[in-house]
Amino acid sequence: MSTRGRSDGISAPAGGEQSAVEVAVQRVGDDQTSRGRDLLAVEEPLEIRLVYGPAANRVRRSITVTMRTPGRDVELGVGFLFAEGVVRCREDIEAAVSCGPTAGPLGVRNLVRVELVPDLVIDEKRLQRNFLTTSSCGLCGKTSLDTLPATSRIRLPDGFVVSPSSIHQLPDRLREAQPVFDRTGGLHAAALFDGSGRLLDVQEDVGRHNAVDKLIGAQLLAGALPLSNRLILVSGRAGYELVQKALTAGVPLLAAVGAPTSLAADLARGANMTLLGFVRERRFNVYCGGHRIRRGAGRSRRRRGFRTPPPAGTDSP
């Protein structure tokens, strides 16, 4: 697999990572059976390795293995380390590369190595993950509650305001930018928008937390953090780990097509973040931070919001 190089020490696969595969299937109906083909989203393990410490005594350590959809692996690794509090800015990273031997019939490279600048002091507690991180869980593998990312002291500033009409447009714009989901129906997405609802970036992955890490990792490498005048829309539900990742990046508004969890709402409320759920069909619920939703024409009446969960099967893990 070829790579594209950058003078700043960041390199990644040159695109074309296979995110879907075609398989043979047997289709069974009420009174007939047929054979056909179907597309499945690719899921592969990714090991994230960290190199840190003084130049004369570098430490090389495997941090975690996460199940992900190949593509933007460097951004995923960097975004993961940022969300964990291991790195704080682009200047903390000396180099990051997708590497290792190709594996499996798709020839995927399943290793990302991130090298930190020698003078960066690392909190070893932040590196305590001993288990596989599944595609549905962004916090799996923590060895104790003390190793959860420290976000409780963050309080986001006011000033970012969005109109209801801009929020209503987000799901359609996200769906238009999900090419692999349209082919497989098996991927989550995270999208970055400005206050007017203009789509700036979108990432897909079998894991919703991976999609957010890819999104934020790309912004960190571009030197665009904090994202104080941006919002993120995620497919599916908004759990604690997604609020935590958005909060670490300074995102003032997180919107979800599905429901938030109680812990997610608690974290968002304490951090002065705006959290929206059930954003679809020109409706949404505001769980906290309603002061960022512009009042006036087009405001959704309370009776029009969603009060019950969506039908079963619309928000997969």
mmCIF file with all atom_site columns, all heavy atoms in Angstrom, residues 6-11 78 82 87-96 115-117 217-225:
data_model
loop_
_atom_site.group_PDB
_atom_site.id
_atom_site.type_symbol
_atom_site.label_atom_id
_atom_site.label_alt_id
_atom_site.label_comp_id
_atom_site.label_asym_id
_atom_site.label_entity_id
_atom_site.label_seq_id
_atom_site.pdbx_PDB_ins_code
_atom_site.Cartn_x
_atom_site.Cartn_y
_atom_site.Cartn_z
_atom_site.occupancy
_atom_site.B_iso_or_equiv
_atom_site.pdbx_formal_charge
_atom_site.auth_seq_id
_atom_site.auth_comp_id
_atom_site.auth_asym_id
_atom_site.auth_atom_id
_atom_site.pdbx_PDB_model_num
ATOM 1   N N   . ARG A 1 6   ? 4.255   13.702 4.423  1.00 0.00 ? 6   ARG A N   1
ATOM 2   C CA  . ARG A 1 6   ? 4.130   15.103 4.748  1.00 0.00 ? 6   ARG A CA  1
ATOM 3   C C   . ARG A 1 6   ? 5.408   15.517 5.437  1.00 0.00 ? 6   ARG A C   1
ATOM 4   O O   . ARG A 1 6   ? 6.044   14.743 6.141  1.00 0.00 ? 6   ARG A O   1
ATOM 5   C CB  . ARG A 1 6   ? 2.931   15.356 5.680  1.00 0.00 ? 6   ARG A CB  1
ATOM 6   C CG  . ARG A 1 6   ? 1.614   15.175 5.017  1.00 0.00 ? 6   ARG A CG  1
ATOM 7   C CD  . ARG A 1 6   ? 0.442   15.123 5.967  1.00 0.00 ? 6   ARG A CD  1
ATOM 8   N NE  . ARG A 1 6   ? 0.549   16.047 7.091  1.00 0.00 ? 6   ARG A NE  1
ATOM 9   C CZ  . ARG A 1 6   ? -0.504  16.395 7.829  1.00 0.00 ? 6   ARG A CZ  1
ATOM 10  N NH1 . ARG A 1 6   ? -1.697  15.943 7.557  1.00 0.00 ? 6   ARG A NH1 1
ATOM 11  N NH2 . ARG A 1 6   ? -0.358  17.219 8.860  1.00 0.00 ? 6   ARG A NH2 1
ATOM 12  N N   . SER A 1 7   ? 5.811   16.754 5.238  1.00 0.00 ? 7   SER A N   1
ATOM 13  C CA  . SER A 1 7   ? 7.048   17.228 5.822  1.00 0.00 ? 7   SER A CA  1
ATOM 14  C C   . SER A 1 7   ? 6.979   17.314 7.332  1.00 0.00 ? 7   SER A C   1
ATOM 15  O O   . SER A 1 7   ? 7.997   17.426 8.009  1.00 0.00 ? 7   SER A O   1
ATOM 16  C CB  . SER A 1 7   ? 7.389   18.614 5.248  1.00 0.00 ? 7   SER A CB  1
ATOM 17  O OG  . SER A 1 7   ? 6.342   19.541 5.522  1.00 0.00 ? 7   SER A OG  1
ATOM 18  N N   . ASP A 1 8   ? 5.766   17.260 7.899  1.00 0.00 ? 8   ASP A N   1
ATOM 19  C CA  . ASP A 1 8   ? 5.638   17.376 9.353  1.00 0.00 ? 8   ASP A CA  1
ATOM 20  C C   . ASP A 1 8   ? 5.684   16.030 10.052 1.00 0.00 ? 8   ASP A C   1
ATOM 21  O O   . ASP A 1 8   ? 5.417   15.935 11.244 1.00 0.00 ? 8   ASP A O   1
ATOM 22  C CB  . ASP A 1 8   ? 4.335   18.095 9.710  1.00 0.00 ? 8   ASP A CB  1
ATOM 23  C CG  . ASP A 1 8   ? 3.101   17.393 9.157  1.00 0.00 ? 8   ASP A CG  1
ATOM 24  O OD1 . ASP A 1 8   ? 3.258   16.305 8.564  1.00 0.00 ? 8   ASP A OD1 1
ATOM 25  O OD2 . ASP A 1 8   ? 1.996   17.923 9.328  1.00 0.00 ? 8   ASP A OD2 1
ATOM 26  N N   . GLY A 1 9   ? 6.042   14.963 9.363  1.00 0.00 ? 9   GLY A N   1
ATOM 27  C CA  . GLY A 1 9   ? 6.198   13.658 9.995  1.00 0.00 ? 9   GLY A CA  1
ATOM 28  C C   . GLY A 1 9   ? 4.945   12.834 10.054 1.00 0.00 ? 9   GLY A C   1
ATOM 29  O O   . GLY A 1 9   ? 4.934   11.760 10.629 1.00 0.00 ? 9   GLY A O   1
ATOM 30  N N   . ILE A 1 10  ? 3.868   13.327 9.451  1.00 0.00 ? 10  ILE A N   1
ATOM 31  C CA  . ILE A 1 10  ? 2.610   12.593 9.433  1.00 0.00 ? 10  ILE A CA  1
ATOM 32  C C   . ILE A 1 10  ? 2.467   11.917 8.085  1.00 0.00 ? 10  ILE A C   1
ATOM 33  O O   . ILE A 1 10  ? 2.579   12.544 7.038  1.00 0.00 ? 10  ILE A O   1
ATOM 34  C CB  . ILE A 1 10  ? 1.401   13.520 9.659  1.00 0.00 ? 10  ILE A CB  1
ATOM 35  C CG1 . ILE A 1 10  ? 1.610   14.364 10.921 1.00 0.00 ? 10  ILE A CG1 1
ATOM 36  C CG2 . ILE A 1 10  ? 0.122   12.726 9.744  1.00 0.00 ? 10  ILE A CG2 1
ATOM 37  C CD1 . ILE A 1 10  ? 1.733   13.571 12.189 1.00 0.00 ? 10  ILE A CD1 1
ATOM 38  N N   . SER A 1 11  ? 2.222   10.617 8.091  1.00 0.00 ? 11  SER A N   1
ATOM 39  C CA  . SER A 1 11  ? 1.969   9.922  6.845  1.00 0.00 ? 11  SER A CA  1
ATOM 40  C C   . SER A 1 11  ? 0.852   8.929  7.048  1.00 0.00 ? 11  SER A C   1
ATOM 41  O O   . SER A 1 11  ? 0.652   8.407  8.146  1.00 0.00 ? 11  SER A O   1
ATOM 42  C CB  . SER A 1 11  ? 3.226   9.200  6.331  1.00 0.00 ? 11  SER A CB  1
ATOM 43  O OG  . SER A 1 11  ? 3.624   8.191  7.221  1.00 0.00 ? 11  SER A OG  1
ATOM 44  N N   . VAL A 1 78  ? -4.476  9.463  16.328 1.00 0.00 ? 78  VAL A N   1
ATOM 45  C CA  . VAL A 1 78  ? -4.215  10.772 16.930 1.00 0.00 ? 78  VAL A CA  1
ATOM 46  C C   . VAL A 1 78  ? -5.435  11.258 17.709 1.00 0.00 ? 78  VAL A C   1
ATOM 47  O O   . VAL A 1 78  ? -5.316  11.776 18.827 1.00 0.00 ? 78  VAL A O   1
ATOM 48  C CB  . VAL A 1 78  ? -3.818  11.782 15.843 1.00 0.00 ? 78  VAL A CB  1
ATOM 49  C CG1 . VAL A 1 78  ? -3.811  13.207 16.397 1.00 0.00 ? 78  VAL A CG1 1
ATOM 50  C CG2 . VAL A 1 78  ? -2.447  11.433 15.273 1.00 0.00 ? 78  VAL A CG2 1
ATOM 51  N N   . PHE A 1 82  ? -5.709  12.070 21.724 1.00 0.00 ? 82  PHE A N   1
ATOM 52  C CA  . PHE A 1 82  ? -6.157  13.381 22.185 1.00 0.00 ? 82  PHE A CA  1
ATOM 53  C C   . PHE A 1 82  ? -7.327  13.244 23.156 1.00 0.00 ? 82  PHE A C   1
ATOM 54  O O   . PHE A 1 82  ? -7.354  13.877 24.212 1.00 0.00 ? 82  PHE A O   1
ATOM 55  C CB  . PHE A 1 82  ? -6.571  14.236 20.987 1.00 0.00 ? 82  PHE A CB  1
ATOM 56  C CG  . PHE A 1 82  ? -7.144  15.568 21.373 1.00 0.00 ? 82  PHE A CG  1
ATOM 57  C CD1 . PHE A 1 82  ? -6.322  16.598 21.786 1.00 0.00 ? 82  PHE A CD1 1
ATOM 58  C CD2 . PHE A 1 82  ? -8.513  15.785 21.325 1.00 0.00 ? 82  PHE A CD2 1
ATOM 59  C CE1 . PHE A 1 82  ? -6.854  17.826 22.159 1.00 0.00 ? 82  PHE A CE1 1
ATOM 60  C CE2 . PHE A 1 82  ? -9.053  17.008 21.691 1.00 0.00 ? 82  PHE A CE2 1
ATOM 61  C CZ  . PHE A 1 82  ? -8.224  18.034 22.106 1.00 0.00 ? 82  PHE A CZ  1
ATOM 62  N N   . VAL A 1 87  ? -2.123  13.463 24.352 1.00 0.00 ? 87  VAL A N   1
ATOM 63  C CA  . VAL A 1 87  ? -1.607  14.623 23.632 1.00 0.00 ? 87  VAL A CA  1
ATOM 64  C C   . VAL A 1 87  ? -2.624  15.755 23.750 1.00 0.00 ? 87  VAL A C   1
ATOM 65  O O   . VAL A 1 87  ? -3.827  15.515 23.885 1.00 0.00 ? 87  VAL A O   1
ATOM 66  C CB  . VAL A 1 87  ? -1.328  14.305 22.146 1.00 0.00 ? 87  VAL A CB  1
ATOM 67  C CG1 . VAL A 1 87  ? -0.296  13.200 22.022 1.00 0.00 ? 87  VAL A CG1 1
ATOM 68  C CG2 . VAL A 1 87  ? -2.605  13.922 21.411 1.00 0.00 ? 87  VAL A CG2 1
ATOM 69  N N   . ARG A 1 88  ? -2.148  16.981 23.672 1.00 0.00 ? 88  ARG A N   1
ATOM 70  C CA  . ARG A 1 88  ? -3.013  18.140 23.837 1.00 0.00 ? 88  ARG A CA  1
ATOM 71  C C   . ARG A 1 88  ? -3.071  19.026 22.593 1.00 0.00 ? 88  ARG A C   1
ATOM 72  O O   . ARG A 1 88  ? -3.996  19.811 22.440 1.00 0.00 ? 88  ARG A O   1
ATOM 73  C CB  . ARG A 1 88  ? -2.547  18.976 25.025 1.00 0.00 ? 88  ARG A CB  1
ATOM 74  C CG  . ARG A 1 88  ? -2.554  18.219 26.351 1.00 0.00 ? 88  ARG A CG  1
ATOM 75  C CD  . ARG A 1 88  ? -2.021  19.090 27.480 1.00 0.00 ? 88  ARG A CD  1
ATOM 76  N NE  . ARG A 1 88  ? -1.956  18.350 28.742 1.00 0.00 ? 88  ARG A NE  1
ATOM 77  C CZ  . ARG A 1 88  ? -0.943  17.580 29.096 1.00 0.00 ? 88  ARG A CZ  1
ATOM 78  N NH1 . ARG A 1 88  ? 0.096   17.440 28.285 1.00 0.00 ? 88  ARG A NH1 1
ATOM 79  N NH2 . ARG A 1 88  ? -0.956  16.929 30.241 1.00 0.00 ? 88  ARG A NH2 1
ATOM 80  N N   . CYS A 1 89  ? -2.060  18.898 21.726 1.00 0.00 ? 89  CYS A N   1
ATOM 81  C CA  . CYS A 1 89  ? -2.020  19.741 20.537 1.00 0.00 ? 89  CYS A CA  1
ATOM 82  C C   . CYS A 1 89  ? -1.141  19.088 19.482 1.00 0.00 ? 89  CYS A C   1
ATOM 83  O O   . CYS A 1 89  ? -0.453  18.097 19.752 1.00 0.00 ? 89  CYS A O   1
ATOM 84  C CB  . CYS A 1 89  ? -1.484  21.146 20.868 1.00 0.00 ? 89  CYS A CB  1
ATOM 85  S SG  . CYS A 1 89  ? 0.192   21.132 21.542 1.00 0.00 ? 89  CYS A SG  1
ATOM 86  N N   . ARG A 1 90  ? -1.166  19.658 18.282 1.00 0.00 ? 90  ARG A N   1
ATOM 87  C CA  . ARG A 1 90  ? -0.377  19.112 17.170 1.00 0.00 ? 90  ARG A CA  1
ATOM 88  C C   . ARG A 1 90  ? 1.109   19.101 17.498 1.00 0.00 ? 90  ARG A C   1
ATOM 89  O O   . ARG A 1 90  ? 1.845   18.186 17.086 1.00 0.00 ? 90  ARG A O   1
ATOM 90  C CB  . ARG A 1 90  ? -0.646  19.955 15.909 1.00 0.00 ? 90  ARG A CB  1
ATOM 91  C CG  . ARG A 1 90  ? 0.252   19.638 14.716 1.00 0.00 ? 90  ARG A CG  1
ATOM 92  C CD  . ARG A 1 90  ? 0.059   18.206 14.259 1.00 0.00 ? 90  ARG A CD  1
ATOM 93  N NE  . ARG A 1 90  ? 1.013   17.841 13.231 1.00 0.00 ? 90  ARG A NE  1
ATOM 94  C CZ  . ARG A 1 90  ? 2.236   17.388 13.476 1.00 0.00 ? 90  ARG A CZ  1
ATOM 95  N NH1 . ARG A 1 90  ? 2.672   17.285 14.732 1.00 0.00 ? 90  ARG A NH1 1
ATOM 96  N NH2 . ARG A 1 90  ? 3.040   17.060 12.495 1.00 0.00 ? 90  ARG A NH2 1
ATOM 97  N N   . GLU A 1 91  ? 1.587   20.079 18.264 1.00 0.00 ? 91  GLU A N   1
ATOM 98  C CA  . GLU A 1 91  ? 3.011   20.196 18.560 1.00 0.00 ? 91  GLU A CA  1
ATOM 99  C C   . GLU A 1 91  ? 3.526   19.080 19.471 1.00 0.00 ? 91  GLU A C   1
ATOM 100 O O   . GLU A 1 91  ? 4.734   18.884 19.582 1.00 0.00 ? 91  GLU A O   1
ATOM 101 C CB  . GLU A 1 91  ? 3.298   21.561 19.198 1.00 0.00 ? 91  GLU A CB  1
ATOM 102 C CG  . GLU A 1 91  ? 3.188   22.735 18.237 1.00 0.00 ? 91  GLU A CG  1
ATOM 103 C CD  . GLU A 1 91  ? 1.761   23.020 17.797 1.00 0.00 ? 91  GLU A CD  1
ATOM 104 O OE1 . GLU A 1 91  ? 0.827   22.708 18.568 1.00 0.00 ? 91  GLU A OE1 1
ATOM 105 O OE2 . GLU A 1 91  ? 1.589   23.541 16.671 1.00 0.00 ? 91  GLU A OE2 1
ATOM 106 N N   . ASP A 1 92  ? 2.624   18.341 20.117 1.00 0.00 ? 92  ASP A N   1
ATOM 107 C CA  . ASP A 1 92  ? 3.052   17.207 20.955 1.00 0.00 ? 92  ASP A CA  1
ATOM 108 C C   . ASP A 1 92  ? 3.486   16.000 20.125 1.00 0.00 ? 92  ASP A C   1
ATOM 109 O O   . ASP A 1 92  ? 4.114   15.083 20.652 1.00 0.00 ? 92  ASP A O   1
ATOM 110 C CB  . ASP A 1 92  ? 1.911   16.767 21.874 1.00 0.00 ? 92  ASP A CB  1
ATOM 111 C CG  . ASP A 1 92  ? 1.632   17.776 22.984 1.00 0.00 ? 92  ASP A CG  1
ATOM 112 O OD1 . ASP A 1 92  ? 2.503   18.619 23.257 1.00 0.00 ? 92  ASP A OD1 1
ATOM 113 O OD2 . ASP A 1 92  ? 0.532   17.709 23.566 1.00 0.00 ? 92  ASP A OD2 1
ATOM 114 N N   . ILE A 1 93  ? 3.129   15.999 18.853 1.00 0.00 ? 93  ILE A N   1
ATOM 115 C CA  . ILE A 1 93  ? 3.363   14.832 17.993 1.00 0.00 ? 93  ILE A CA  1
ATOM 116 C C   . ILE A 1 93  ? 4.563   15.079 17.087 1.00 0.00 ? 93  ILE A C   1
ATOM 117 O O   . ILE A 1 93  ? 4.599   16.040 16.323 1.00 0.00 ? 93  ILE A O   1
ATOM 118 C CB  . ILE A 1 93  ? 2.113   14.534 17.148 1.00 0.00 ? 93  ILE A CB  1
ATOM 119 C CG1 . ILE A 1 93  ? 0.908   14.279 18.060 1.00 0.00 ? 93  ILE A CG1 1
ATOM 120 C CG2 . ILE A 1 93  ? 2.360   13.344 16.227 1.00 0.00 ? 93  ILE A CG2 1
ATOM 121 C CD1 . ILE A 1 93  ? -0.402  14.195 17.313 1.00 0.00 ? 93  ILE A CD1 1
ATOM 122 N N   . GLU A 1 94  ? 5.544   14.203 17.202 1.00 0.00 ? 94  GLU A N   1
ATOM 123 C CA  . GLU A 1 94  ? 6.730   14.298 16.348 1.00 0.00 ? 94  GLU A CA  1
ATOM 124 C C   . GLU A 1 94  ? 6.482   13.618 15.003 1.00 0.00 ? 94  GLU A C   1
ATOM 125 O O   . GLU A 1 94  ? 6.893   14.103 13.951 1.00 0.00 ? 94  GLU A O   1
ATOM 126 C CB  . GLU A 1 94  ? 7.928   13.660 17.043 1.00 0.00 ? 94  GLU A CB  1
ATOM 127 C CG  . GLU A 1 94  ? 9.241   13.810 16.305 1.00 0.00 ? 94  GLU A CG  1
ATOM 128 C CD  . GLU A 1 94  ? 10.418  13.350 17.140 1.00 0.00 ? 94  GLU A CD  1
ATOM 129 O OE1 . GLU A 1 94  ? 10.576  12.118 17.285 1.00 0.00 ? 94  GLU A OE1 1
ATOM 130 O OE2 . GLU A 1 94  ? 11.159  14.210 17.657 1.00 0.00 ? 94  GLU A OE2 1
ATOM 131 N N   . ALA A 1 95  ? 5.798   12.472 15.018 1.00 0.00 ? 95  ALA A N   1
ATOM 132 C CA  . ALA A 1 95  ? 5.501   11.736 13.793 1.00 0.00 ? 95  ALA A CA  1
ATOM 133 C C   . ALA A 1 95  ? 4.341   10.796 14.054 1.00 0.00 ? 95  ALA A C   1
ATOM 134 O O   . ALA A 1 95  ? 4.126   10.360 15.190 1.00 0.00 ? 95  ALA A O   1
ATOM 135 C CB  . ALA A 1 95  ? 6.719   10.951 13.304 1.00 0.00 ? 95  ALA A CB  1
ATOM 136 N N   . ALA A 1 96  ? 3.594   10.494 13.004 1.00 0.00 ? 96  ALA A N   1
ATOM 137 C CA  . ALA A 1 96  ? 2.513   9.507  13.079 1.00 0.00 ? 96  ALA A CA  1
ATOM 138 C C   . ALA A 1 96  ? 2.423   8.820  11.733 1.00 0.00 ? 96  ALA A C   1
ATOM 139 O O   . ALA A 1 96  ? 2.432   9.488  10.691 1.00 0.00 ? 96  ALA A O   1
ATOM 140 C CB  . ALA A 1 96  ? 1.188   10.168 13.444 1.00 0.00 ? 96  ALA A CB  1
ATOM 141 N N   . GLU A 1 115 ? 4.612   8.903  17.409 1.00 0.00 ? 115 GLU A N   1
ATOM 142 C CA  . GLU A 1 115 ? 5.815   9.263  18.152 1.00 0.00 ? 115 GLU A CA  1
ATOM 143 C C   . GLU A 1 115 ? 5.646   10.668 18.717 1.00 0.00 ? 115 GLU A C   1
ATOM 144 O O   . GLU A 1 115 ? 5.352   11.616 17.985 1.00 0.00 ? 115 GLU A O   1
ATOM 145 C CB  . GLU A 1 115 ? 7.041   9.186  17.245 1.00 0.00 ? 115 GLU A CB  1
ATOM 146 C CG  . GLU A 1 115 ? 7.267   7.801  16.648 1.00 0.00 ? 115 GLU A CG  1
ATOM 147 C CD  . GLU A 1 115 ? 8.486   7.740  15.747 1.00 0.00 ? 115 GLU A CD  1
ATOM 148 O OE1 . GLU A 1 115 ? 9.355   8.645  15.873 1.00 0.00 ? 115 GLU A OE1 1
ATOM 149 O OE2 . GLU A 1 115 ? 8.582   6.814  14.931 1.00 0.00 ? 115 GLU A OE2 1
ATOM 150 N N   . LEU A 1 116 ? 5.826   10.800 20.020 1.00 0.00 ? 116 LEU A N   1
ATOM 151 C CA  . LEU A 1 116 ? 5.678   12.088 20.688 1.00 0.00 ? 116 LEU A CA  1
ATOM 152 C C   . LEU A 1 116 ? 7.031   12.797 20.796 1.00 0.00 ? 116 LEU A C   1
ATOM 153 O O   . LEU A 1 116 ? 8.085   12.167 20.742 1.00 0.00 ? 116 LEU A O   1
ATOM 154 C CB  . LEU A 1 116 ? 5.079   11.883 22.078 1.00 0.00 ? 116 LEU A CB  1
ATOM 155 C CG  . LEU A 1 116 ? 3.759   11.108 22.125 1.00 0.00 ? 116 LEU A CG  1
ATOM 156 C CD1 . LEU A 1 116 ? 3.228   11.053 23.556 1.00 0.00 ? 116 LEU A CD1 1
ATOM 157 C CD2 . LEU A 1 116 ? 2.720   11.709 21.186 1.00 0.00 ? 116 LEU A CD2 1
ATOM 158 N N   . VAL A 1 117 ? 6.979   14.102 20.957 1.00 0.00 ? 117 VAL A N   1
ATOM 159 C CA  . VAL A 1 117 ? 8.222   14.860 21.110 1.00 0.00 ? 117 VAL A CA  1
ATOM 160 C C   . VAL A 1 117 ? 8.907   14.423 22.408 1.00 0.00 ? 117 VAL A C   1
ATOM 161 O O   . VAL A 1 117 ? 8.241   14.087 23.400 1.00 0.00 ? 117 VAL A O   1
ATOM 162 C CB  . VAL A 1 117 ? 7.936   16.374 21.121 1.00 0.00 ? 117 VAL A CB  1
ATOM 163 C CG1 . VAL A 1 117 ? 7.413   16.822 19.771 1.00 0.00 ? 117 VAL A CG1 1
ATOM 164 C CG2 . VAL A 1 117 ? 6.934   16.744 22.211 1.00 0.00 ? 117 VAL A CG2 1
ATOM 165 N N   . GLY A 1 217 ? -9.298  13.894 15.214 1.00 0.00 ? 217 GLY A N   1
ATOM 166 C CA  . GLY A 1 217 ? -7.883  13.736 14.901 1.00 0.00 ? 217 GLY A CA  1
ATOM 167 C C   . GLY A 1 217 ? -7.470  14.534 13.685 1.00 0.00 ? 217 GLY A C   1
ATOM 168 O O   . GLY A 1 217 ? -6.391  15.144 13.654 1.00 0.00 ? 217 GLY A O   1
ATOM 169 N N   . ALA A 1 218 ? -8.317  14.558 12.655 1.00 0.00 ? 218 ALA A N   1
ATOM 170 C CA  . ALA A 1 218 ? -8.024  15.342 11.456 1.00 0.00 ? 218 ALA A CA  1
ATOM 171 C C   . ALA A 1 218 ? -7.951  16.829 11.784 1.00 0.00 ? 218 ALA A C   1
ATOM 172 O O   . ALA A 1 218 ? -7.093  17.561 11.260 1.00 0.00 ? 218 ALA A O   1
ATOM 173 C CB  . ALA A 1 218 ? -9.087  15.085 10.396 1.00 0.00 ? 218 ALA A CB  1
ATOM 174 N N   . GLN A 1 219 ? -8.836  17.300 12.660 1.00 0.00 ? 219 GLN A N   1
ATOM 175 C CA  . GLN A 1 219 ? -8.825  18.709 13.037 1.00 0.00 ? 219 GLN A CA  1
ATOM 176 C C   . GLN A 1 219 ? -7.600  19.047 13.877 1.00 0.00 ? 219 GLN A C   1
ATOM 177 O O   . GLN A 1 219 ? -7.015  20.127 13.737 1.00 0.00 ? 219 GLN A O   1
ATOM 178 C CB  . GLN A 1 219 ? -10.106 19.051 13.802 1.00 0.00 ? 219 GLN A CB  1
ATOM 179 C CG  . GLN A 1 219 ? -11.374 18.896 12.985 1.00 0.00 ? 219 GLN A CG  1
ATOM 180 C CD  . GLN A 1 219 ? -11.397 19.771 11.746 1.00 0.00 ? 219 GLN A CD  1
ATOM 181 O OE1 . GLN A 1 219 ? -11.193 20.976 11.834 1.00 0.00 ? 219 GLN A OE1 1
ATOM 182 N NE2 . GLN A 1 219 ? -11.627 19.153 10.594 1.00 0.00 ? 219 GLN A NE2 1
ATOM 183 N N   . LEU A 1 220 ? -7.173  18.131 14.733 1.00 0.00 ? 220 LEU A N   1
ATOM 184 C CA  . LEU A 1 220 ? -5.970  18.370 15.522 1.00 0.00 ? 220 LEU A CA  1
ATOM 185 C C   . LEU A 1 220 ? -4.743  18.485 14.620 1.00 0.00 ? 220 LEU A C   1
ATOM 186 O O   . LEU A 1 220 ? -3.927  19.396 14.770 1.00 0.00 ? 220 LEU A O   1
ATOM 187 C CB  . LEU A 1 220 ? -5.778  17.258 16.547 1.00 0.00 ? 220 LEU A CB  1
ATOM 188 C CG  . LEU A 1 220 ? -4.589  17.424 17.504 1.00 0.00 ? 220 LEU A CG  1
ATOM 189 C CD1 . LEU A 1 220 ? -4.926  16.900 18.889 1.00 0.00 ? 220 LEU A CD1 1
ATOM 190 C CD2 . LEU A 1 220 ? -3.341  16.697 16.977 1.00 0.00 ? 220 LEU A CD2 1
ATOM 191 N N   . LEU A 1 221 ? -4.630  17.572 13.657 1.00 0.00 ? 221 LEU A N   1
ATOM 192 C CA  . LEU A 1 221 ? -3.483  17.609 12.747 1.00 0.00 ? 221 LEU A CA  1
ATOM 193 C C   . LEU A 1 221 ? -3.489  18.862 11.889 1.00 0.00 ? 221 LEU A C   1
ATOM 194 O O   . LEU A 1 221 ? -2.441  19.328 11.444 1.00 0.00 ? 221 LEU A O   1
ATOM 195 C CB  . LEU A 1 221 ? -3.476  16.361 11.869 1.00 0.00 ? 221 LEU A CB  1
ATOM 196 C CG  . LEU A 1 221 ? -3.182  15.045 12.596 1.00 0.00 ? 221 LEU A CG  1
ATOM 197 C CD1 . LEU A 1 221 ? -3.334  13.859 11.665 1.00 0.00 ? 221 LEU A CD1 1
ATOM 198 C CD2 . LEU A 1 221 ? -1.784  15.070 13.214 1.00 0.00 ? 221 LEU A CD2 1
ATOM 199 N N   . ALA A 1 222 ? -4.681  19.418 11.652 1.00 0.00 ? 222 ALA A N   1
ATOM 200 C CA  . ALA A 1 222 ? -4.791  20.650 10.865 1.00 0.00 ? 222 ALA A CA  1
ATOM 201 C C   . ALA A 1 222 ? -4.591  21.893 11.722 1.00 0.00 ? 222 ALA A C   1
ATOM 202 O O   . ALA A 1 222 ? -4.629  23.013 11.203 1.00 0.00 ? 222 ALA A O   1
ATOM 203 C CB  . ALA A 1 222 ? -6.156  20.710 10.182 1.00 0.00 ? 222 ALA A CB  1
ATOM 204 N N   . GLY A 1 223 ? -4.395  21.704 13.030 1.00 0.00 ? 223 GLY A N   1
ATOM 205 C CA  . GLY A 1 223 ? -4.210  22.833 13.922 1.00 0.00 ? 223 GLY A CA  1
ATOM 206 C C   . GLY A 1 223 ? -5.471  23.634 14.149 1.00 0.00 ? 223 GLY A C   1
ATOM 207 O O   . GLY A 1 223 ? -5.407  24.834 14.441 1.00 0.00 ? 223 GLY A O   1
ATOM 208 N N   . ALA A 1 224 ? -6.641  22.991 14.034 1.00 0.00 ? 224 ALA A N   1
ATOM 209 C CA  . ALA A 1 224 ? -7.915  23.704 14.096 1.00 0.00 ? 224 ALA A CA  1
ATOM 210 C C   . ALA A 1 224 ? -8.586  23.660 15.458 1.00 0.00 ? 224 ALA A C   1
ATOM 211 O O   . ALA A 1 224 ? -9.681  24.206 15.610 1.00 0.00 ? 224 ALA A O   1
ATOM 212 C CB  . ALA A 1 224 ? -8.869  23.153 13.038 1.00 0.00 ? 224 ALA A CB  1
ATOM 213 N N   . LEU A 1 225 ? -7.989  22.999 16.446 1.00 0.00 ? 225 LEU A N   1
ATOM 214 C CA  . LEU A 1 225 ? -8.600  22.913 17.768 1.00 0.00 ? 225 LEU A CA  1
ATOM 215 C C   . LEU A 1 225 ? -8.274  24.156 18.599 1.00 0.00 ? 225 LEU A C   1
ATOM 216 O O   . LEU A 1 225 ? -7.213  24.751 18.426 1.00 0.00 ? 225 LEU A O   1
ATOM 217 C CB  . LEU A 1 225 ? -8.108  21.654 18.491 1.00 0.00 ? 225 LEU A CB  1
ATOM 218 C CG  . LEU A 1 225 ? -8.435  20.317 17.837 1.00 0.00 ? 225 LEU A CG  1
ATOM 219 C CD1 . LEU A 1 225 ? -7.961  19.179 18.737 1.00 0.00 ? 225 LEU A CD1 1
ATOM 220 C CD2 . LEU A 1 225 ? -9.901  20.185 17.534 1.00 0.00 ? 225 LEU A CD2 1
#
